[in-house]
């Protein structure tokens, strides 16, 4: 019982972490609070669905296509929309307010376009909804893939950021965009790349999630909100934090469902989030900086 | 001095027109004014705390929803004015908790904290209703017509703006200004930082709670998903930021154009509402970086300058 | 000061539009050449999915059909085309309330069609009553329908109450338990919102009365995305019947999870969404035997024609619960207009007392409520066939046990 709940929780948490990774990159490094994050995921999910349904293309193949598109589109959005805001922002607070307003608009545009193109129906398909036996616990293969990928992507990027030269520039930009240029870092270029990587992560998350979650054109906000909670709980800009926070929320939710009351599962995640913040105001892995 | 007299005269005349509004406005236009007054209250109350302290709160709907829900639960058990008092007390109680959280959290952490809190409140109320009372979905049958709700909300909006005006004139307002500029300086200059922030947050939240309580009889049927709709929190923030959160009349000037645009869009583009709205938002961010009020003032200042030269 | 000039402008503007609006007295000139029908539905926001499946397609289908045939027929045989005024309520109650005020006092439409959802229909009910519009509350499931029908005498309730569905399910389960097909235990989950709670509150006493034991009975919050733990616990409860009073994302999630876990109860019942055409895709083509809310009379030619027509015009088949009822309500309205014209008082009276030929057969309302409904259905072959009430004309026998997931 304990083993099965732990595994169910980790698999669910893997999905949560996957949802949050992209936003963590975008907000942590490029400092753009992208409220349209969920819409990117939904768009990728629709992409996977259409290709699967009409072209019989496996979502696992789409998993290689969608992130490329996600990267390109995000790169473009940063260049056209965000860059002017970053340039004119006098302070971090100003950029935060501006990016919230601008991406709030973007959210509506994307959602509206998807409503027109795909309609408002619930969309769902069945792929790899086949049982996999792990330690005697039966889990859907699609969900296991999502967990493995979120661990790989999250862990891999974390390693790159903490152990490579490229990662060091990212960290420099995240930590102090004012002084990064002094050591020859092109802040703008780094921020744009990080934003685009975030978009690619969101797209891959969307494709994976589409295999087992019911989605609709209007449902992006749910993903964004979950992602925000996880990113903040983990600590802004810390991918390991997002990973740990996502997994923790998944495990807690499953345990409460099984041992306490399913009716309190979502309440418990919000409660945990609030307690963590009151205990560590900068998130689990956040660095204390004003 | 004449300017001050003129202001008072203008305000009185405007208020008189607004009070008389139900006699010359149709049902629909009055319905629009109900939304207007509700959002003027929410946005002004929001800016009362968030303008000077720069804390962006997404907990608006937690208070608004508590107000509405209290009326739904108690409207048959207690007389209406007492229900309102109970609602305000509950809202203030929650606000005290959130207010103390502001002492520890800053920036985006507070933003998402306040959002999480609103969701937590919704989840807990749902759980309580399902498991303890066994009813979800409550009815409000109060004998209010549109104009009755309008007058109450108008009064609340006036009180809210009045309070905002008064706070600006007192030591409290000055203290807040210093806090917004620099917390360290504020602490050194002997301002009771904690008490000031919490007090103001409780005040702002109480007004939001009342707005929800007063408006709820319009909906007849109340469910947590209906009254704790996060859209309300988002719209409040957007309206206040759009108008200019640091100014007394800023939020009001954000509310009016946005509500008119919403109304026009949902009628003219029922199928493309989201797209047009989104594009408008993006345009606004680029065109009016400092909010409507500042943009208007800059324009006026420029005109005056041109006239002088 | 600036503020007040602006506000003056605004109020002036509003006053002017009102003055113009009221200049036209709400009586109708004889030389009209169209009927104005208005509605506000959720085209965006959280309710867009529900409205997008059940309400909007049927409005479109009906209006298109009527206008293609030359328009709404009046008692004197003349036909008037339908002119549509539509608003997006953005899934906010305040918006839907205001939209109704706008339709009634500003657009002065001849008729108003209802929004989607129980809450929204209740929110507009007092206004529809105040402005004297017949209110066809279709997508509203409430046990208080009889009370509301009395309170607002021009309101009509088309989808029954939670207890109707719960009791019908208890009957189905009771009969098959008595026949020795299933054991005495039921595992039941419900979504924590008005709809789920209404149903589960009615189901508990109904099942107990039939002598069932509730081996598992929990409610889960709206927005739950993972059902692994819940299905696991239901599976170990030893019940032969699994009942989920769920909403679409939950219905789909719990179905997929049951398939993965190899959970094969003899009765698998889901709430809203089980009767959606997309359910076939979600279950990977293994929908056979799954029960749920609603159902259609699979043998009826009128229903088959409606399904074909809907698929043709809208692009996908309708759901097998509230869609046909929505369309039926529109047919009733159309026929009432043909009999009594556009006088709203007379229309309401005709709807309340008349008998109508619809895709659901001959129907008439009892105390302003449609009661000849299908309370439970089951996937049998390509259709979601009605199984309860078992004694109604056209019901098929339920297949129990359900074939195992492959």
């Amino acid at each position: 019982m304990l083993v099965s709940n732990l595994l169910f929780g980790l698999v669910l948490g893997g999905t949560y972490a996957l949802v949050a990774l992209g936003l963590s990159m975008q907000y942590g490094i490029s400092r753009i609070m992208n409220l349209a994050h969920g819409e990117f995921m939904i768009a990728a999910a629709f992409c996977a669905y259409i290709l699967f349904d009409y072209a019989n293309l496996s979502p696992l193949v789409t998993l290689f296509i969608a992130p490329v598109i996600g990267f390109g589109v995000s790169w473009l959005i940063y260049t056209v929309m965000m860059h002017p805001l970053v340039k004119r922002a006098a302070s971090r607070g100003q950029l935060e307010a501006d990016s919230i307003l601008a991406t709030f608009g973007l959210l509506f545009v994307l959602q509206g376009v998807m409503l027109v193109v795909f309609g408002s129906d619930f969309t769902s398909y069945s792929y790899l909804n086949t049982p996999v036996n792990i330690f005697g616990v039966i889990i859907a293969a699609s969900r296991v893939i999502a967990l493995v990928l979120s661990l790989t992507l999250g862990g891999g990027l974390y390693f790159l950021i903490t152990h490579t030269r490229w990662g060091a520039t990212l960290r420099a930009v995240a930590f102090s965009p004012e002084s990064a240029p002094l050591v020859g870092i092109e802040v703008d270029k780094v921020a744009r790349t990080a934003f685009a990587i975030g978009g690619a992560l969101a797209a891959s998350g969307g494709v994976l999630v589409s295999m087992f979650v019911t989605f609709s054109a209007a449902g992006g906000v749910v993903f964004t909100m979950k992602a925000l909670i996880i990113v903040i709980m983990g600590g802004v800009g810390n991918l390991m934090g997002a990973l740990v926070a996502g997994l923790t929320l998944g495990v807690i939710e499953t345990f409460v469902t099984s041992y306490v009351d399913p009716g309190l599962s979502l309440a418990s995640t919000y409660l945990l989030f609030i307690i963590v913040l009151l205990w560590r105001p900068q998130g689990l892995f956040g660095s204390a900086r004003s | 001095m004449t300017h001050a007299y003129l202001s008072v005269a203008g305000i009185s005349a405007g208020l008189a027109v607004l009070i008389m509004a139900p006699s010359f406005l149709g049902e629909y236009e009055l319905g629009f004014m109900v939304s207007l007054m509700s959002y003027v209250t929410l946005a002004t109350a929001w800016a009362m705390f968030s303008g000077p302290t720069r804390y962006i709160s997404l907990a608006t709907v937690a208070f608004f929803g508590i107000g509405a829900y209290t009326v739904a639960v108690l409207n048959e058990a207690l007389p209406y004015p007492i229900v309102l008092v109970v609602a305000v007390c509950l809202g203030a109680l929650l606000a005290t908790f959130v207010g103390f959280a502001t002492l520890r959290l800053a920036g985006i952490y507070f933003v998402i904290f306040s959002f999480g809190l609103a969701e937590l409140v919704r989840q807990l109320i749902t759980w309580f209703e399902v498991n303890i009372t066994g009813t979800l979905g409550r009815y409000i049958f109060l004998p209010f017509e549109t104009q009755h709700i309008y007058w109450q909300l108008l009064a609340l909006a006036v009180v809210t703006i009045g309070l905002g005006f008064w706070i600006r004139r007192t030591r409290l307002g000055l203290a807040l200004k210093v806090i917004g500029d620099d917390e360290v300086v504020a602490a050194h200059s002997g301002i009771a930082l904690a008490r000031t922030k919490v007090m103001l947050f409780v005040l702002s939240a109480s007004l939001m709670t009342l707005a929800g309580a007063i408006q709820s009889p319009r909906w007849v049927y109340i469910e947590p998903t209906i009254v704790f709709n996060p859209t309300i929190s988002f719209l409040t923030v957007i309206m206040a930021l759009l108008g200019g959160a640091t100014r007394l009349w800023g939020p009001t000037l954000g509310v009016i154009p946005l509500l008119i645009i919403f109304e026009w869009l949902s009628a003219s583009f029922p199928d493309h509402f989201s797209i047009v709205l989104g594009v408008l938002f993006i345009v606004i961010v680029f065109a009016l970086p400092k909010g409507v009020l500042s943009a208007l003032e800059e324009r006026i200042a420029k005109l005056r300058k041109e006239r002088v030269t | 000061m600036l503020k007040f000039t602006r506000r003056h402008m605004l109020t002036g503007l509003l006053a002017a539009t009102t003055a113009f609006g009221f200049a036209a007295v709400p009586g109708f000139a004889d030389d009209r050449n169209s009927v104005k029908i208005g509605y506000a539905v959720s085209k965006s926001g959280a309710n867009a999915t529900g409205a997008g499946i059940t309400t909007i397609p049927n409005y479109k289908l009906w209006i298109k059909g009527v206008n293609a045939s030359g328009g709404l027929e009046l008692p004197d045989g003349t036909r008037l085309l339908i002119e549509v005024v539509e608003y997006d309520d953005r899934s906010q109650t305040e918006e839907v309330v205001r939209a109704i005020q706008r339709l009634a006092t500003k657009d002065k439409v001849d008729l108003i069609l209802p929004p989607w959802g129980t809450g929204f229909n209740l929110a507009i009910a007092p206004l529809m009553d105040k402005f004297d519009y017949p209110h066809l509350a279709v997508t509203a499931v409430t046990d208080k329908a009889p009370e509301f029908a009395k309170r607002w005498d021009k309101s009509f309730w088309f989808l029954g109450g939670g207890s109707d569905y719960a009791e019908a399910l208890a009957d189905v389960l009771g009969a098959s338990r008595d026949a020795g097909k299933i054991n005495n235990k039921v595992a039941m989950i419900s979504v924590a919102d008005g709809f789920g709670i209404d149903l589960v509150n009615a189901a508990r006493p109904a099942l107990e009365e039939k002598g069932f034991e509730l081996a598992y009975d929990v409610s889960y919050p709206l927005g739950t995305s993972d059902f692994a733990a819940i299905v696991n616990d239901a599976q170990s409860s030893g019940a032969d019947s699994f009942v989920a009073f769920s909403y679409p994302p939950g219905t789909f999630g719990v179905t997929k999870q049951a398939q993965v876990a190899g959970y094969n109860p003899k009765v698998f019942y889901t709430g809203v969404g089980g009767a959606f055409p997309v359910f076939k895709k979600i279950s990977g083509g293994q929908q056979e035997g799954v029960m749920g809310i609603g159902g259609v009379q699979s043998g009826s030619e009128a229903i088959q024609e409606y399904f074909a027509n809907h698929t043709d015009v809208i692009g996908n088949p309708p759901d097998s619960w509230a869609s046909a009822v929505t369309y039926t309500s529109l047919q009733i309205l159309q026929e009432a207009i043909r009999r009594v014209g556009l006088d709203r008082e007379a229309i309401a009276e005709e709807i309340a007392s008349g008998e109508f030929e619809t895709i659901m057969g001959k129907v008439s309302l009892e105390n302003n409520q449609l009661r000849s409904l299908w309370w439970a259905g089951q996937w049998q072959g390509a259709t979601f066939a009605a199984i309860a009430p078992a004694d109604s004309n056209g019901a098929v026998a339920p297949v129990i046990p359900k074939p195992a997931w492959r």
Side-chain angles (χ1 to χ4, degrees):
Chain A
M1 206 56 192
L2 185 71
V3 179
S4 64
N5 279 325
L6 193 65
L7 275 172
F8 289 151
L10 285 175
V11 170
L12 176 64
T15 310
Y16 286 166
L18 194 62
V19 170
L21 285 178
L23 194 74
S24 182
M25 276 302 268
Q26 292 184 333
Y27 184 65
I29 292 160
S30 328
R31 309 190 164 205
I32 303 292
M33 167 56 96
N34 184 7
L35 290 182
H37 174 75
E39 273 60 34
F40 272 87
M41 293 190 65
I42 298 275
F46 270 116
C47 181
Y49 166 74
I50 298 278
L51 287 176
F52 178 69
D53 216 41
Y54 296 95
N56 227 339
L57 200 65
S58 156
L60 295 178
V61 178
T62 314
L63 198 53
F64 291 94
I65 306 168
V68 179
I69 303 173
F71 187 93
V73 173
S74 303
W75 196 89
L76 216 90
I77 287 177
Y78 187 90
T79 313
V80 177
M81 238 179 95
M82 302 306 165
H83 185 232
L85 295 181
V86 175
K87 251 175 105 176
R88 89 173 184 207
S91 65
R92 175 144 199 181
Q94 170 82 39
L95 178 59
E96 215 149 68
D98 278 354
S99 67
I100 286 178
L101 285 170
T103 55
F104 195 66
L106 188 62
L107 177 166
F108 275 109
V109 173
L110 290 175
Q111 192 188 84
V113 169
M114 287 192 289
L115 276 169
V116 171
V117 177
F118 302 110
S120 55
D121 278 11
F122 288 110
T123 309
S124 184
Y125 60 96
S126 232
Y127 183 76
L128 278 184
N129 194 32
T130 39
V132 176
N133 193 324
I134 301 171
F135 305 124
V137 183
I138 291 167
I139 305 174
S142 49
R143 284 180 183 263
V144 177
I145 293 175
L147 171 66
V148 171
L149 260 160
S150 76
L151 290 176
T152 324
L153 286 174
L157 273 170
Y158 180 75
F159 179 84
L160 283 179
I161 288 174
T162 45
H163 287 82
T164 63
R165 211 186 137 66
W166 172 74
T169 57
L170 283 191
R171 275 181 292 145
V173 170
F175 194 75
S176 171
E178 301 83 20
S179 45
L182 300 178
V183 289
I185 296 173
E186 287 179 74
V187 175
D188 193 45
K189 203 174 132 200
V190 173
R192 185 185 302 137
T193 313
F195 190 82
I197 293 177
L201 285 171
S204 53
V207 172
L208 281 167
V209 165
S210 76
M211 295 193 289
F212 47 87
V213 162
T214 304
F215 55 95
S216 68
V221 188
V222 181
F223 289 124
T224 310
M225 288 307 150
K226 204 91 201 179
L228 278 177
I229 295 267
I230 293 164
V231 168
I232 297 305
M233 189 170 150
V236 166
N238 192 312
L239 288 176
M240 192 47 78
L243 212 53
V244 171
L247 292 174
T248 313
L249 286 187
V251 171
I252 295 285
E253 204 177 303
T254 308
F255 273 48
V256 170
T257 298
S258 200
Y259 298 122
V260 186
D261 180 350
L264 287 173
S265 58
L266 293 186
S268 67
T269 60
Y270 290 117
L271 193 66
L272 179 74
F273 164 76
I274 284 169
I275 291 171
V276 164
L277 272 199
L278 292 179
W279 165 57
R280 274 187 69 87
Q282 67 289 106
L284 285 173
F285 289 67
S287 48
R289 118 181 92 99
S290 59
Chain B
M1 275 321 275
T2 45
H3 187 73
Y5 281 124
L6 269 178
S7 294
V8 171
I11 288 173
S12 314
L15 203 56
V17 171
L18 285 172
I19 291 172
M20 297 297 290
S23 61
F24 59 85
L25 287 185
E27 181 84 19
Y28 157 68
E29 288 78 6
L30 202 59
F32 178 80
M33 294 302 280
V34 165
S35 289
L36 190 79
M37 289 307 153
S38 171
Y39 272 115
V40 164
T41 305
L42 289 179
T44 309
W46 184 87
M48 198 181 277
F49 171 78
S50 300
T53 60
R54 299 192 186 153
Y55 277 96
I56 294 184
S57 160
L58 287 177
T60 307
V61 82
F63 305 112
F64 184 84
I66 282 178
Y69 221 86
T70 311
V71 176
V73 173
L74 298 177
N75 77 85
E76 272 161 21
L78 293 172
Y80 180 67
I82 298 183
V83 176
L84 290 189
V85 173
V86 174
V88 170
C89 291
L90 289 173
L93 199 71
L94 179 71
T96 315
F97 174 69
V98 186
F100 277 108
T102 63
L103 307 180
R104 285 183 64 77
L105 297 170
I108 193 71
Y109 291 96
F110 178 76
V111 179
I112 309 302
F113 167 85
S114 60
F115 172 80
L117 190 91
E119 288 295 298
L120 178 65
V121 169
R122 168 165 89 167
Q123 292 292 338
L124 288 180
I125 288 183
T126 305
W127 183 84
F128 184 83
E129 290 277 63
V130 168
N131 293 283
I132 312 293
T133 59
T135 51
L136 197 68
R138 291 173 174 273
Y139 303 94
I140 303 179
F141 290 116
L142 285 170
F144 289 147
E145 295 281 335
T146 310
Q147 67 267 28
H148 302 128
I149 292 174
Y150 166 73
W151 279 319
Q152 291 181 60
L153 282 172
L154 172 64
L156 186 64
V158 169
V159 167
T160 307
I161 291 176
L163 274 172
F165 179 75
W166 176 72
I167 287 172
R168 265 153 228 274
R169 301 254 148 154
T170 57
R171 268 179 62 88
L172 187 66
L174 191 69
L176 280 167
K177 226 174 176 164
V178 181
I179 293 173
D181 289 342
D182 194 329
E183 288 214 354
V184 182
V185 173
H188 283 296
S189 55
I191 291 170
L193 220 104
R195 210 186 55 201
T196 312
K197 274 204 238 171
V198 175
M199 251 168 56
L200 202 65
F201 193 81
V202 171
L203 181 65
S204 134
S206 303
L207 292 164
M208 293 171 177
T209 312
L210 265 178
I214 293 173
Q215 212 181 345
S216 63
R218 250 167 97 72
W219 309 326
V220 182
Y221 178 81
I222 299 279
E223 225 179 75
T225 43
I226 290 177
V227 291
F228 291 100
N229 186 344
T231 316
I232 295 172
S233 299
F234 279 107
L235 285 183
T236 304
V237 175
I238 302 280
M239 285 165 172
L241 289 182
L242 175 70
T246 52
R247 320 292 293 269
L248 180 61
W249 293 105
T252 308
L253 279 184
V255 171
I256 295 172
L258 266 190
L259 279 185
I260 293 176
I261 289 172
F262 286 163
E263 209 56 24
W264 171 67
L265 285 183
S266 73
S268 317
F269 303 95
D271 290 315
H272 304 97
F273 177 86
S274 305
I275 301 178
V276 184
L277 179 71
V279 171
L280 263 173
F281 252 110
I282 296 170
V283 170
I284 286 170
V285 177
F286 283 94
L288 305 172
K290 287 181 207 148
V292 174
L293 194 59
S294 300
L296 280 175
E297 282 175 352
E298 270 169 30
R299 182 63 51 81
I300 290 167
K302 215 172 152 192
L303 281 176
R304 280 204 184 132
K305 219 173 166 186
E306 274 168 15
R307 211 176 289 162
V308 170
T309 48
Chain C
M1 287 317 293
L2 195 70
K3 147 96 184 120
F4 281 96
T5 47
R6 278 184 71 103
R7 184 173 278 176
H8 276 305
M9 262 168 58
L10 178 78
T11 31
L13 201 74
L14 289 177
T17 40
T18 334
F20 275 114
F22 277 108
V25 185
F28 305 120
D30 284 324
D31 56 341
R32 59 155 63 238
N33 47 22
S34 69
V35 180
K36 246 182 167 181
I37 293 189
Y39 57 85
V41 277
S42 310
K43 294 194 167 207
S44 57
N47 295 346
T49 39
I53 289 164
T54 305
T55 306
I56 300 168
N58 283 297
Y59 287 178
K60 281 195 181 145
L61 181 64
W62 178 69
I63 290 163
K64 200 172 172 194
V66 168
N67 281 348
S69 72
L72 278 174
E73 196 182 340
L74 298 179
D76 61 4
T78 54
R79 284 173 181 272
L80 291 174
L81 288 177
I82 296 175
E83 186 191 328
V84 178
V85 183
E86 58 173 347
Y87 297 118
D88 177 7
D89 66 37
R90 314 204 295 282
S91 305
Q92 293 172 40
T93 329
E94 180 59 39
E95 297 301 321
V96 79
V97 167
R98 208 164 64 238
I100 297 299
Q101 290 179 321
R102 184 172 188 165
L103 286 168
T105 66
K106 195 151 172 271
D107 303 320
K108 303 196 184 308
V109 295
D110 297 305
L111 293 161
I112 296 177
L113 301 180
W116 179 88
T118 310
F120 281 25
N121 270 292
L122 281 164
I124 70 159
L127 287 172
M128 295 290 272
D129 187 63
K130 181 178 168 188
F131 297 126
D132 277 328
Y133 281 93
H135 178 194
L136 305 165
V138 179
T139 46
V141 177
T142 165
D143 282 326
K144 293 198 173 173
E147 201 181 299
F148 294 145
K150 259 183 231 146
R151 182 184 273 271
W152 304 295
D153 63 355
K154 278 189 277 306
S155 69
F156 304 95
W157 305 82
F158 280 79
L159 223 46
S163 57
D164 296 318
Y165 296 95
E167 279 157 20
L169 174 65
D171 285 342
V172 171
L173 295 183
S176 80
R177 193 258 333 267
D178 294 344
K181 289 182 188 164
I182 54 173
N183 70 10
N184 209 22
K185 289 183 185 168
V186 176
M188 185 162 74
I189 67 169
S190 51
V191 62
D193 99 325
F195 171 80
I197 299 314
D198 249 17
L199 278 153
V200 82
N201 280 344
R204 280 188 197 118
L207 287 169
E208 252 159 51
E209 198 187 313
K210 296 268 177 211
F212 280 101
E213 179 201 331
L214 287 173
Y216 185 63
D217 176 10
V218 296
S219 77
Y220 64 90
L222 204 64
T224 302
S225 63
D226 181 67
F227 289 88
I230 287 178
V231 165
N232 204 29
D233 290 347
Q235 194 165 12
S236 54
S237 72
D240 275 353
S241 310
F242 174 76
V243 173
F245 294 120
S246 48
Y247 262 168
T251 300
F252 304 154
V254 87
T255 305
K256 284 187 178 182
Q257 184 57 37
Q259 292 182 333
V260 167
Y263 177 40
N264 276 305
K266 289 176 180 162
V267 171
F268 191 86
Y269 175 98
T270 65
V272 188
F276 288 180
V278 72
F279 190 80
K280 292 184 201 169
K281 226 179 256 174
I282 281 143
S283 60
Q286 301 179 57
Q287 73 279 6
E288 185 68 20
V290 171
M291 288 189 199
I293 275 186
V296 292
Q297 193 184 342
S298 47
S300 148
E301 257 175 52
I303 286 287
Q304 285 161 7
E305 196 186 316
Y306 164 69
F307 268 63
N309 201 8
H310 190 289
T311 314
D312 204 31
V313 175
I314 306 298
N316 53 300
D319 84 278
S320 296
W321 177 31
S323 270
V325 183
T326 307
Y327 195 79
T328 298
S329 75
L330 298 169
Q331 285 186 304
I332 291 176
L333 182 67
Q334 181 181 352
E335 177 61 18
I337 292 170
R338 197 186 68 81
R339 290 178 195 166
V340 300
L342 286 168
D343 180 61
R344 295 200 286 262
E345 202 73 37
I347 293 176
E349 213 157 284
E350 183 58 30
I351 293 175
S353 60
E355 193 182 36
F356 302 90
E357 189 59 52
T358 69
I359 54 166
M360 292 173 76
K362 260 197 177 44
V363 298
S364 52
L365 304 192
E366 302 162 37
N367 299 322
N368 285 13
Q369 297 157 66
L370 181 64
R371 298 296 304 164
S372 49
L373 285 165
W374 296 111
W375 305 122
Q378 183 180 39
W379 283 104
Q380 295 186 3
T383 48
F384 191 74
I387 56 171
D391 52 359
S392 277
N393 186 24
V396 298
V399 176
I400 295 171
K402 172 188 109 53
W405 313 111
R406 288 189 302 275

